């Protein structure tokens, strides 16, 4: 045991895609049962340090190494391709369940019996609904917003903490409250505030919903807003904002059209493009027509006296 501790306390140099990272070997072995840790075997001699090479994008390894050091994973929100590569690497390295820990639920609820505990599997598609009951009157508004996720395990406590940290920079919490109601829902409410301030608060909440879900390995696919028709002509309106997220994945490479079937690769059947019909006046070219019209085809001069 003492020898193992001495080995793991040594430094390791990792060349990730041409960029060198230096860290403790114990950091790389934070989750020793994963395939990621097995890529970095401990040296046989305590005095020697090891240098490893990993064929991966440097930004991907930097993000994973930061997670191993701090225990927190922060996915980029502006680069969808990089976010997909990070999620893919976490999956093949066996770090997905550690980076995105799901909420524990009893197997008696999932299977109808027993007392063992299991992990909730996050779905490939997540639907989030933000139902906003808004009351407006003479330049002021009051919002009561219910945030509902379509599945368990999305850590809504962390979402409410993000919302509170963001809104405290803009307005005192005397005018608003945000808290988690159950595993799938959270609630946000404001007092009567000015229209501009109310719009700013609800926009910030919407932004935090998107960033929180994307930080868990999802990307926003589409969103739309509906207005309840039965309250259009009253001072109370209900807006329902629906978000559809998909789990970030690497783009699948399409097969080449020139791939042959006898190579064991399924050929892609390509449909020929349909040539659109021409629009507007067209000139009909006749190869047999003379370049100069004949006298019979010439127009008569109406000004010439006959």
């Amino acid at each position: 045991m003492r020898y193992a501790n001495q080995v793991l306390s040594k430094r390791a140099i990792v060349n990730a895609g041409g960029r060198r990272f230096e860290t403790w070997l114990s950091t790389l072995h934070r989750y020793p049962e994963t395939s990621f840790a097995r890529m970095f075997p401990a040296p046989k001699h305590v005095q020697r340090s090891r240098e490893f090479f990993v064929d991966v994008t440097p930004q991907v390894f930097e993000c994973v190494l930061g997670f191993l050091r701090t225990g927190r994973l922060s996915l980029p929100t502006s680069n969808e391709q990089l976010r997909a590569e990070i999620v893919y690497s976490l999956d093949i390295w066996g770090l997905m369940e550690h980076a995105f820990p799901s909420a524990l639920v009893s197997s008696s609820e999932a299977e109808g019996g027993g007392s063992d505990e299991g992990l909730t599997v996050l779905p490939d598609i997540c639907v989030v609904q933000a139902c906003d009951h808004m009351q407006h009157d003479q330049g002021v508004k009051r919002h009561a917003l219910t945030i509902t996720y379509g599945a368990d395990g999305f850590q809504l406590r962390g979402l409410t903490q993000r919302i509170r940290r963001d809104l405290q920079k803009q307005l005192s919490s005397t005018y608003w409250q945000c808290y988690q109601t159950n595993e799938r829902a959270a609630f946000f409410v404001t007092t009567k505030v000015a229209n501009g301030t109310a719009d700013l608060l609800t926009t910030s909440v919407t932004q935090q919903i998107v960033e929180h879900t994307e930080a868990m390995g999802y990307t926003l696919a589409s969103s739309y807003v509906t207005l309840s028709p039965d309250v259009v002509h009253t001072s109370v309106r209900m807006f329902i904002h629906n978000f559809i997220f998909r789990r970030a994945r690497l783009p699948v490479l399409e097969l080449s059209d020139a791939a042959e079937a006898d190579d064991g690769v399924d050929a892609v059947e390509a449909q020929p493009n349909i040539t659109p019909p021409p629009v507007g006046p067209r000139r009909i070219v006749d190869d047999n027509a003379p370049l100069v019209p004949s006298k019979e085809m010439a127009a008569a001069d109406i000004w010439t006296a006959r």
Side-chain angles (χ1 to χ4, degrees):
M1 179 64 67
R2 181 180 179 182
Y3 172 78
N5 293 335
Q6 291 178 351
V7 170
L8 294 179
S9 63
K10 293 298 179 180
R11 295 181 180 179
I13 300 175
V14 181
N15 185 340
R19 182 177 171 185
R20 294 164 62 90
F21 295 87
E22 187 172 354
T23 183
W24 298 110
L25 193 60
S26 58
T27 302
L28 302 176
H29 285 253
R30 179 167 184 170
Y31 302 104
E33 75 283 357
T34 61
S35 58
F36 179 84
R38 290 192 289 269
M39 292 193 306
F40 308 100
K44 297 181 180 180
H45 302 282
V46 180
Q47 293 79 7
R48 296 182 180 179
S49 60
R50 294 293 302 274
E51 183 171 354
F52 306 91
F53 174 78
V54 181
D55 188 13
V56 69
T57 305
Q59 291 82 354
V60 173
F61 189 83
E62 181 181 13
C63 182
V64 175
L65 184 60
F67 161 69
L68 295 176
R69 287 170 174 168
T70 63
R72 294 185 177 183
L73 179 65
S74 179
L75 294 176
T77 58
S78 58
N79 192 334
E80 182 177 351
Q81 174 68 22
L82 179 60
R83 184 168 66 248
E85 290 185 13
I86 294 174
V87 174
Y88 175 78
S89 299
L90 291 172
D91 189 17
I92 63 175
W93 289 339
L95 296 172
M96 182 69 74
E97 60 181 5
H98 303 287
F100 304 110
S102 303
L104 290 174
V105 295
S106 62
S107 60
S108 59
E109 297 177 358
E111 302 177 0
S115 59
D116 298 335
E117 290 185 339
L119 290 176
T120 301
V121 179
L122 295 179
D124 289 338
I125 299 177
C126 172
V127 179
V128 183
Q129 186 179 85
C131 184
D132 184 10
H133 293 265
M134 185 265 293
Q135 180 182 6
H136 59 93
D137 182 24
Q138 297 181 354
V140 295
K141 291 181 181 179
R142 181 180 182 273
H143 289 271
L145 182 64
T146 303
I147 306 168
T148 306
Y149 276 73
D152 296 338
F154 283 91
Q155 306 176 8
L156 295 192
R157 181 180 179 183
L159 172 61
T160 55
Q161 291 175 351
R162 292 173 63 111
I163 294 175
R164 286 195 291 265
R165 285 196 300 265
D166 184 61
L167 296 186
Q168 283 175 355
K169 303 175 184 178
Q170 307 176 30
L171 187 65
S172 172
S173 58
T174 306
Y175 301 96
W176 56 267
Q177 291 294 326
C178 183
Y179 51 88
Q180 180 182 359
T181 56
N182 54 53
E183 180 62 28
R184 295 189 180 186
F187 188 68
F188 170 76
V189 63
T190 68
T191 60
K192 288 186 177 181
V193 293
N195 289 342
T197 304
D199 295 339
L200 181 62
L201 294 179
T202 54
T203 302
S204 299
V205 172
T206 302
Q207 181 180 359
Q208 293 303 321
I209 293 174
V210 175
E211 292 183 357
H212 173 77
T213 311
E214 288 184 343
M216 300 191 68
Y218 287 80
T219 180
L220 181 62
S222 62
S223 65
Y224 60 94
V225 179
T226 58
L227 175 63
S228 179
D230 56 342
V231 292
V232 172
H233 301 290
T234 64
S235 61
V236 178
R237 293 189 178 183
M238 183 173 65
F239 296 90
I240 303 177
H241 200 161
N242 299 276
F243 304 89
I244 301 176
F245 295 89
R246 295 182 182 272
R247 184 175 289 278
R249 297 181 183 273
L250 281 176
V252 180
L253 298 179
E254 296 183 358
L255 298 177
S256 174
D257 293 341
E260 298 181 359
D262 54 358
D263 293 339
V265 181
D266 295 335
V268 178
E269 181 180 358
Q271 299 294 335
N273 294 329
I274 300 176
T275 304
V279 179
R282 290 176 293 171
R283 180 182 179 183
I284 301 177
V285 179
D286 187 2
D287 296 336
N288 299 325
L291 298 179
V292 179
S294 61
K295 294 182 178 181
E296 291 78 7
M297 299 177 59
D301 189 357
I302 61 175
W303 302 107
T304 303
R306 294 185 182 276

